Amino acid sequence: MPLALVTRLARRIAGLVATLFAASFVIFAAVYAAPGDPAVFLAGGRDKLTPERLAQVREQYHLDEPLVVQYGRWLWDTVHLDLGRSFKYSDQVADLIASRLPSTLELVAYATVLYVVFGVGAGILAAVRRSTWVDSAVVGGTTLAASVPSFVAAIALVSLFGVQLGWFPVTGSGSGLAGTLHHLTLPAVSLALGALAIISRVTRQAMADAAASDHVEAARASGVPEREIVRRHVLRNALGPIVTMCGLVMAGMLAGTVVVETAFGISGIGSLLVNAINTHDFPVAQAVLLLMVTGYVVVTTLVDLVHPLLDPRVKEAHA
Amino acid sequence: MTTTRRRAAVAVVVAATLLAATGCAGADRPTGGAAPVDASKLKLDATTPAANGPLTKANWLLENEPDSLDLDSQGSSSGRIVLTSVCERLYQLQPDMTTKPFLAKKAVTSDGGRKLTFTLRDDVTFHDGTKMTADDVLWSLKRHASKDMEQSDEFENVTSMKKTAANQVTVTFEAPDAMFLKAMAGDAGIVWNKAQVAKSGKEFGTPGQPDACSGPYELAGWKSGDSITIRAAKDYWGKQPLTRQIVFHWATDSAFVNALKTGAADGAYADAPNTAAALRADKDLKQYYGPSTASLVLIPTDRGGLTDPRIRRALSLALDRRGIAESGYGGLVQPWASPVGSGAWGYEKAEFAAAQKKLDRLAPASPSDADLAAAKKLVKAAGAPTDPVVIGADASQGRTVIANATRAALQSIGIRAEIKTVPPAEFEEFYSDPTARADIDVLAGDWYISKADPMGFYDNGLSDSSNNWVHYKSKTYDAQVKQALSTLDDTKRAALAVDVQQKFVESAVWIPLAQVPTILVLNKKLAGPTASQAYLYYPWATQLGVRKG
């Protein structure tokens, strides 16, 4: 058994590395192929944009070399943990990311807590009160929430709770636990709204499926109290799909905070990426995209690894 | 010599549209509420009321995080707004856009204008307590002048720089250089603490490094991605500022507007007039408009119908500049007949103002019937181009309006036109890359110069200038520009500049549209900072304080 686990882990890690390698090349090529010339941004003011100066800048930053050579150079440095220096900021890319990552991670973590607690909660509520007004209210409410894009939600929340009522700050990510929570509440809510709908739906459906299974019928027939049935049989069996979906949504969020960060003036990874793309800051754009892909792949792999622990049926299938 | 800025205008417009679309704009609607500004009556003032009381801390908003706090390697508006109160220069630009000696006590020219000797103040100390020396000054000038640095083009005329006495540095020129002293009030005149820059090495100007300057504020910290703090420098050699600490944050789009609206930020210099328009109705904020060198212009390229100067002149006559100002910029830009804003008038103001008035007939605010008739006559004489004129713009509200107004003007004089809209990144390339602009006939552009001297602009019309896209060639123009650039006497140079300007506008090398003022948005309890474009080079923060003491 341990050997099987080791092989499985090794296979996973190999797959992960291969995915990252492929992703890194695609990212590199995509950033490189984006319209616009980074030399224009590197050269300085418009009056400096003579062809000679541009050629000199291209040479200095190795932009005149073939794509594969540039990729090779970048990969070599990256493997040696050197992400290079930003074109735009003269700072190290690693420093830039390190200073912005916490805001994004805090935001995603906060949003995750919100959609897991309220999404799963609403789903359970709808499932146990199936075909009542509660169920309809949850389904209706979450459908509405899902149809509001996060940037619209962000603007609406800022206008109401930030500008008009003045309850929450409208910009920045705050400091200290209380300050961070205060600053990140509105952004986290706007980020969580869409996810909340998905999670509550999945929870409701998974529980309905589990409730329809034979052993639940049997338990119910043998007089086990309803509360016990829901907790021990229905919810437990429904946990697999719920956790998987929560993980996937969270992984997606890691790459999708851009809009909310911009709306709330949070200097996170998302706004760093958008700026980097707009200014053709290749080293930063590549590093951030790779980080996002890594985050996604790692989270989904973890979900895959956790799944069998929650659902014995999956474990059997693997074995 | 001319530095241009890149705006986040697109983003601002997107945000404003979203605000309007969702109908959730907060207490005040973004543009409604206040009466629209009459563009032609915009009052520009260089200063704001004086502050009377001290302030412990102010929160200031930037449009984006500075790229670097080493203005030699990366010069951006955001970086300058922060550093201009931290770093000092040999000369100082005043709020009224004149310049005066600063870290240099005086500057004496000799050898027929080919030699300039700076005598330095002897009471200046850097923030680390060391005294400013002639070695620091010389080293700084040489750093600014080295090839890859932002300000290197200010030194093109320089043949040598030497320390000639304990408190003297002498610069020699190939030919007299009228722009050099103006440049010394800009980033090319910053005096760095040589030892401090050397100590920071490659990391100089990045977060976590101290500043290397002598100004009224010192850099207290830069939390990358979050904020920059400056505080009143201990033992500053000059007068202490009223406000003890300033914390800079940055935001774009609606976040910028909301931070000011809710009081999270006390003030900001708004880069885009549209942002200011969204804040005009707010009762807790006051807006000040000041002279700047910035302008909106049409820049014709070397292809299509506009290569004929008669067609360009006709287009200039037919444009509705007031319409552009009002529907594109909420009335916060002003119809203008020359390609540089009034902030460029750092000397002989009355003469420049009078000359500008005379140009109105070539570039009217709104075309009269007579203007349109004259324009049609010009087109007839030139023969109307058969291919449509392609106008290059991005999707920002202002440029979209300019492009449409240009198309309408061309159509009104019998010329077909179409608009090519590109993403902002591609738009920037129009300025630099002839192949990028190979498909357009005219660019809806903007421009500003860093020095308060129109001659800092008109070299763009020289026969060999890379910004002279239409290949305008005039020996007298070239000769006059060169003469003006080496004329140290302000009155004589102004006369030449007026002549040069007349030729530039008559030939419509670029077609002027509007001047863009500096816009300061300030909490109404505060006062003091400069409202003119000098905020980029003058320690505006030293005058910030509470309005009533």
Side-chain angles (χ1 to χ4, degrees):
Chain A
M1 187 61 188
L3 188 67
L5 189 69
V6 170
T7 356
R8 224 177 101 216
L9 264 178
R11 209 184 298 150
R12 281 274 173 206
I13 290 168
L16 210 147
V17 170
T19 311
L20 286 181
F21 181 73
S24 75
F25 184 76
V26 173
I27 287 166
F28 196 92
V31 172
Y32 190 89
D37 183 352
V40 169
F41 290 88
L42 290 167
R46 281 174 195 162
D47 54 323
K48 292 231 170 100
L49 300 170
T50 57
E52 302 79 53
R53 167 87 180 134
L54 290 178
Q56 180 199 332
V57 166
R58 278 190 202 106
E59 198 193 328
Q60 187 188 339
Y61 289 88
H62 307 292
L63 293 167
D64 51 349
E65 291 171 3
L67 173 65
V68 183
V69 177
Q70 288 191 49
Y71 175 69
R73 188 189 299 280
W74 175 76
L75 192 65
W76 178 258
D77 290 343
T78 304
V79 171
H80 291 82
L81 297 178
D82 175 12
L83 293 171
R85 268 178 194 273
S86 157
F87 286 175
K88 178 172 152 67
Y89 307 96
S90 16
D91 211 1
Q92 301 270 8
V93 173
D95 289 352
L96 282 173
I97 291 181
S99 66
R100 282 159 177 80
L101 195 55
S103 294
T104 301
L105 290 182
E106 283 160 8
L107 179 59
V108 170
Y110 195 169
T112 303
V113 169
L114 289 180
Y115 74 71
V116 167
V117 170
F118 293 101
V120 173
I124 293 174
L125 200 63
V128 297
R129 296 268 181 276
R130 217 151 170 220
S131 307
T132 66
W133 67 269
V134 179
D135 186 21
S136 314
V138 168
V139 173
T142 51
T143 305
L144 186 70
S147 63
V148 180
S150 58
F151 70 90
V152 175
I155 289 171
L157 289 171
V158 173
S159 311
L160 184 61
F161 296 106
V163 178
Q164 278 190 331
L165 297 171
W167 292 352
F168 291 99
V170 293
T171 173
S173 44
S175 57
L177 182 65
T180 307
L181 285 179
H182 193 206
H183 274 82
L184 292 185
T185 297
L186 292 185
V189 169
S190 35
L191 202 57
L193 272 182
L196 212 139
I198 301 172
I199 299 303
S200 70
R201 288 295 179 77
V202 168
T203 307
R204 179 176 172 272
Q205 194 55 45
M207 285 186 63
D209 291 349
S213 65
D214 294 344
H215 79 279
V216 172
E217 297 282 343
R220 196 167 278 144
S222 58
V224 180
E226 188 61 24
R227 176 182 286 270
E228 196 80 336
I229 290 177
V230 170
R231 202 165 57 84
R232 292 188 61 173
H233 299 285
V234 180
L235 192 53
R236 180 113 198 262
N237 283 337
L239 220 48
I242 296 174
V243 169
T244 306
M245 196 34 104
C246 287
L248 286 177
V249 167
M250 181 185 160
M253 266 184 190
L254 287 172
T257 56
V258 178
V259 172
V260 169
E261 281 178 19
T262 310
F264 289 93
I266 298 169
S267 294
I269 287 292
S271 49
L272 182 67
L273 175 66
V274 168
N275 263 319
I277 290 174
N278 282 338
T279 53
H280 296 88
D281 195 344
F282 283 8
V284 173
Q286 280 146 10
V288 173
L289 283 169
L290 193 65
L291 186 75
M292 285 177 166
V293 172
T294 312
Y296 190 89
V297 173
V298 167
V299 173
T300 46
T301 307
L302 279 178
V303 169
D304 255 13
L305 290 173
V306 168
H307 200 168
L309 304 180
L310 293 170
D311 193 338
R313 288 167 300 180
V314 179
K315 204 188 294 181
E316 278 157 25
H318 268 276
Chain B
M1 202 179 278
T2 49
T3 322
T4 55
R5 69 176 135 192
R6 302 182 184 102
R7 290 222 180 88
V10 192
V12 173
V13 173
V14 170
T17 319
L18 291 177
L19 284 168
T22 50
C24 297
D28 326 275
R29 249 150 266 124
T31 40
V37 186
D38 180 352
S40 53
K41 291 194 183 114
L42 204 58
K43 196 175 162 305
L44 304 187
D45 226 331
T47 51
T48 57
N52 296 308
L55 187 64
T56 6
K57 182 185 153 191
N59 290 305
W60 207 261
L61 202 58
L62 305 172
E63 302 250 1
N64 38 47
E65 180 168 16
D67 299 344
S68 162
L69 289 183
D70 175 4
L71 294 181
D72 276 336
S73 65
Q74 295 274 25
S76 66
S77 296
S78 301
R80 282 191 197 105
I81 295 174
V82 175
L83 273 196
T84 192
S85 302
V86 174
C87 295
E88 294 177 317
R89 299 132 207 260
L90 286 174
Y91 264 56
Q92 193 181 62
L93 183 67
Q94 303 301 301
D96 66 357
M97 303 302 274
T98 58
T99 48
K100 67 166 201 195
F102 196 66
L103 292 184
K105 243 188 310 204
K106 59 175 182 178
V108 179
T109 46
S110 56
D111 194 13
R114 279 186 182 76
K115 218 171 224 175
L116 182 65
T117 305
F118 292 107
T119 306
L120 307 170
R121 293 185 70 107
D122 48 17
D123 56 347
V124 177
T125 48
F126 290 115
H127 293 145
D128 65 357
T130 56
K131 263 179 109 68
M132 176 189 83
T133 66
D135 290 320
D136 290 308
V137 174
L138 183 64
W139 183 84
S140 302
L141 289 176
K142 286 190 167 157
R143 187 175 197 259
H144 300 314
S146 52
K147 210 176 77 187
D148 282 338
M149 296 304 196
E150 288 274 337
Q151 300 296 322
S152 57
D153 49 352
E154 305 288 2
F155 296 83
E156 272 166 3
N157 213 353
V158 171
T159 50
S160 78
M161 296 192 274
K162 285 193 184 86
K163 178 174 153 184
T164 41
N167 65 341
Q168 267 187 8
V169 171
T170 301
V171 182
T172 49
F173 302 93
E174 244 166 68
D177 188 337
M179 293 301 109
F180 193 77
L181 277 185
K182 309 250 173 201
M184 290 300 107
D187 292 347
I190 295 177
V191 177
W192 302 116
N193 179 347
K194 180 183 162 189
Q196 185 59 56
V197 176
K199 209 164 129 194
S200 295
K202 234 182 155 172
E203 303 294 327
F204 179 62
T206 63
Q209 298 297 319
D211 69 70
C213 295
S214 59
Y217 287 90
E218 62 188 345
L219 192 60
W222 178 358
K223 269 170 73 189
S224 173
D226 179 66
S227 62
I228 295 179
T229 305
I230 61 175
R231 61 166 173 251
K234 295 182 296 272
D235 314 319
Y236 175 54
W237 63 275
K239 196 178 154 225
Q240 279 286 335
L242 277 174
T243 299
R244 307 312 296 166
Q245 190 190 47
I246 298 174
V247 182
F248 295 92
H249 287 276
W250 38 89
T252 47
D253 305 359
S254 53
F256 185 93
V257 171
N258 288 330
L260 286 160
K261 220 180 239 246
T262 54
D266 296 312
Y269 289 100
D271 216 9
N274 303 64
T275 313
L279 288 166
R280 263 178 38 81
D282 201 295
K283 286 176 199 69
D284 295 325
L285 299 170
K286 225 175 139 33
Q287 294 194 8
Y288 300 92
Y289 312 108
S292 100
T293 66
S295 64
L296 302 171
V297 282
L298 292 179
I299 315 180
T301 68
D302 61 350
R303 55 154 262 173
L306 294 177
T307 45
D308 189 318
R310 288 170 295 187
I311 305 280
R312 298 201 297 268
R313 270 208 301 273
L315 169 59
S316 180
L317 284 171
L319 277 163
D320 180 9
R321 292 176 173 78
R322 187 176 311 208
I324 291 172
E326 271 153 25
S327 36
Y329 297 89
L332 295 182
V333 303
Q334 194 174 22
W336 203 240
S338 76
V340 262
S342 58
W345 305 340
Y347 54 98
E348 304 294 330
K349 278 195 174 57
E351 174 145 28
F352 283 121
Q356 163 81 24
K357 261 219 145 63
K358 275 195 211 148
L359 293 175
D360 280 349
R361 61 177 181 84
L362 295 169
S366 328
S368 65
D369 292 343
D371 290 328
L372 284 175
K376 281 180 189 154
K377 230 165 120 186
L378 280 164
V379 173
K380 203 171 166 201
T386 45
D387 287 335
V389 169
V390 183
I391 305 155
D394 64 20
S396 66
Q397 182 187 342
R399 285 211 178 93
T400 306
V401 170
I402 293 177
N404 280 305
T406 307
R407 181 169 61 181
L410 285 165
Q411 280 164 350
S412 74
I413 52 174
I415 298 171
R416 283 188 303 140
E418 56 192 50
I419 297 167
K420 186 181 175 189
T421 306
V422 299
E426 238 180 292
F427 186 84
E428 278 301 315
E429 272 187 74
F430 283 147
Y431 287 98
S432 62
D433 189 355
T435 54
R437 55 176 186 257
D439 296 334
I440 60 163
D441 297 332
V442 62
L443 179 65
D446 64 308
W447 200 268
Y448 84 86
I449 54 173
S450 57
K451 283 185 294 278
D453 192 324
M455 287 318 298
F457 174 82
Y458 288 105
D459 57 345
N460 287 321
L462 288 172
S463 304
D464 58 354
S465 164
S466 60
N467 294 322
N468 177 3
W469 300 350
V470 291
H471 306 305
Y472 167 67
K473 272 198 176 62
S474 159
K475 280 203 177 112
T476 35
Y477 182 90
D478 289 1
Q480 267 183 332
V481 168
K482 281 179 185 146
Q483 194 192 341
L485 288 174
S486 58
T487 301
L488 303 182
D489 181 279
D490 281 348
T491 319
K492 285 185 192 150
R493 190 168 67 260
L496 284 163
V498 165
D499 254 14
V500 161
Q501 167 180 292
Q502 181 80 21
K503 291 197 172 76
F504 189 96
V505 176
E506 264 173 9
S507 309
V509 184
W510 293 16
I511 299 166
L513 295 174
Q515 70 161 335
V516 184
T518 297
I519 302 171
L520 166 66
V521 181
L522 194 64
N523 183 318
K524 73 167 183 210
K525 292 193 196 96
L526 306 182
T530 171
S532 71
Q533 193 186 319
Y535 77 91
L536 292 172
Y537 303 100
Y538 173 83
W540 58 269
T542 54
Q543 270 130 314
L544 175 69
V546 177
R547 196 169 185 146
K548 294 198 179 81

